[in-house]
Amino acid sequence: MSINSPPDKTPFTLDTSGVMGFFGGEEALSAMSTVHLYQGRRWLGWYNSPGSYIVAKKFGQLANSRFWDGVFPGPNPTPEEMFGLDGKDGPRFIGVFSGTDMMTTGHLAYLTAQKAKETKEKIHLGGRITVMKVYHALYAAIPIASSLATCLVCAFIGDWLAFGLIILGMVSNGLACFVIGSGKLHFQLIKPSSYAPRGDGFLLMHNDIVILKGAEKEVASIIKGKLVLDMGGNEKFNAVGICSLLLLSQFLIQLLFVPRATLVGQIMFLSSLAVSWAYNSFLSSLENEKIQTDLLWKSLDKPPITKFALPNRGSQAACACFVLYAGANISKKSSANFKPEKILECMIPNNTRVWEAWREHVAKQVLSKEKNRYFEPYRELVTDLEDDEQQLLEQLLADAEYGYKCYQMSLETCSWAP
């Protein structure tokens, strides 16, 4: 008759040393990148998280000095670049009163274009801001409670080595989350001259046109402003470097000593990592760009969005031109800066005779003071056109008329006046 050895006396061990620092690295990086986007998130990192080596090597590059460059070699990105708060180029912007023509705009314009894409057609929406909600805090309690529970189990069976290794992971991740999350996120908005004209204009994309209407300060903040992460007055970010070094030390210590723990201790250690990995995966699934957009909308006092789906580029361009002209103060001489034919050419740059005639006709209707607009081709427009060109012009003007009707429908739900 043989007597089985208890689990803590068996010679069998789990060799976790080869994966504990790398497993879940990408999820841990994504989770850490959300630390500034949720209020109170920096206080909720006290759990034994996997991927400490990957996190240390990545965020250690923020520390900017000779010593830190030797420990964590590589480029020294800005905090905004490191956390995905900058670096996305926005679409082309054209100001209809200011004359601004920017072939590439900034990250905030990119976020605005993304929000416009996600907005449902013919729906009037306002912005909202995402903060640390109650269920997010409850979710964060799961990996924290799991790490604490595994510590208690290790203490109960007397495996103080596994107990200490889990505590080390909790402290390292908690301090890193606290220090990195201490940065203050804010928008660097633009302050133009008080004499600047209105900032009305449009973002030109492949299939969409996003119209921005408002004061120059509001529009310039979208196309030229940026998100800024203030990590404190010390640009060397020594505190981030120290936390990254702590995470790297955690990886090395766990690499050496986890195989020396008992089987139960190793199982508890792996269990804490598995639960933490699941929580990091949850944070990674959140849409950071949407959260950034909601923050932007709050800073701009939650401007409303109205979206209309039009069948083709001609009706889009005509509708957009009417909407943009609705903000013009025709009593001022500066209203002459609004040039609808040039605007239409930016939207539809085709240089054929038909399109030139179409732009000329639609531009006259935009500037017309008559109550009713007419989209039948004028005789002087068609005298030099062949029959098939005349028929094409009639079709294109019908598209423009549809765009004008959509503009009239928009007056029922929103005001385009300045």
Side-chain angles (χ1 to χ4, degrees), residues 199-211:
D200 296 3
F202 57 95
L203 296 170
L204 194 59
M205 297 183 291
H206 182 66
N207 293 319
D208 301 309
I209 299 171
V210 179
I211 299 173

Side-chain angles (χ1 to χ4, degrees), residues 153-174:
V153 172
C154 291
F156 179 76
I157 64 173
D159 191 343
W160 298 107
L161 180 59
F163 174 88
L165 293 173
I166 297 174
I167 289 292
L168 174 62
M170 294 174 63
V171 173
S172 299
N173 190 68

Side-chain angles (χ1 to χ4, degrees), residues 31-39 41-42 83 177-178 180-181:
M32 191 67 76
S33 298
T34 67
V35 71
H36 305 99
L37 301 178
Y38 293 95
Q39 184 179 351
R41 167 74 177 86
R42 64 181 178 134
F83 293 98
C177 195
F178 176 78
I180 293 175

Side-chain angles (χ1 to χ4, degrees), residues 175-230:
L175 287 176
C177 195
F178 176 78
V179 171
I180 293 175
S182 298
K184 304 298 181 182
L185 184 63
H186 62 90
F187 288 96
Q188 188 178 76
L189 303 181
I190 304 299
K191 294 182 179 179
S193 170
S194 57
Y195 303 103
R198 281 181 60 82
D200 296 3
F202 57 95
L203 296 170
L204 194 59
M205 297 183 291
H206 182 66
N207 293 319
D208 301 309
I209 299 171
V210 179
I211 299 173
L212 303 177
K213 293 181 68 69
E216 177 69 13
K217 177 183 178 181
E218 298 167 341
V219 176
S221 295
I222 291 177
I223 62 174
K224 299 178 183 178
K226 60 180 181 179
L227 276 166
V228 175
L229 184 59
D230 186 4

Side-chain angles (χ1 to χ4, degrees), residues 56 68 72 172 175-180 238-248:
W68 294 121
F72 304 107
S172 299
L175 287 176
C177 195
F178 176 78
V179 171
I180 293 175
N238 289 323
V240 177
I242 293 172
C243 287
S244 299
L245 188 59
L246 179 60
L247 289 172
L248 189 59

Side-chain angles (χ1 to χ4, degrees), residues 12 40 100 136 178 194 199 210 237 242 268 321 326 359 393 416-417:
F12 176 76
T100 302
H136 284 167
F178 176 78
S194 57
V210 179
F237 307 120
I242 293 172
M268 291 299 102
C321 205
R359 286 192 290 265
L393 179 60
W416 300 120

Side-chain angles (χ1 to χ4, degrees), residues 21 24-37 41 47 49-65 67-85 172-173 175-183 229 231 234-248 250 280 283-284 288:
E26 293 300 324
E27 291 82 0
L29 284 176
S30 298
M32 191 67 76
S33 298
T34 67
V35 71
H36 305 99
L37 301 178
R41 167 74 177 86
Y47 54 89
S49 177
S52 57
Y53 177 82
I54 303 297
V55 174
K57 296 295 287 185
K58 179 70 173 180
F59 291 107
Q61 293 177 351
L62 269 178
N64 187 11
S65 71
F67 173 76
W68 294 121
D69 287 345
V71 178
F72 304 107
N76 297 117
T78 64
E80 295 80 16
E81 294 171 342
M82 176 66 73
F83 293 98
L85 303 173
S172 299
N173 190 68
L175 287 176
C177 195
F178 176 78
V179 171
I180 293 175
S182 298
L229 184 59
M231 300 288 289
N234 187 358
E235 294 184 357
K236 294 184 178 181
F237 307 120
N238 289 323
V240 177
I242 293 172
C243 287
S244 299
L245 188 59
L246 179 60
L247 289 172
L248 189 59
Q250 170 205 339
N280 287 341
L283 292 177
S284 302
N288 290 347

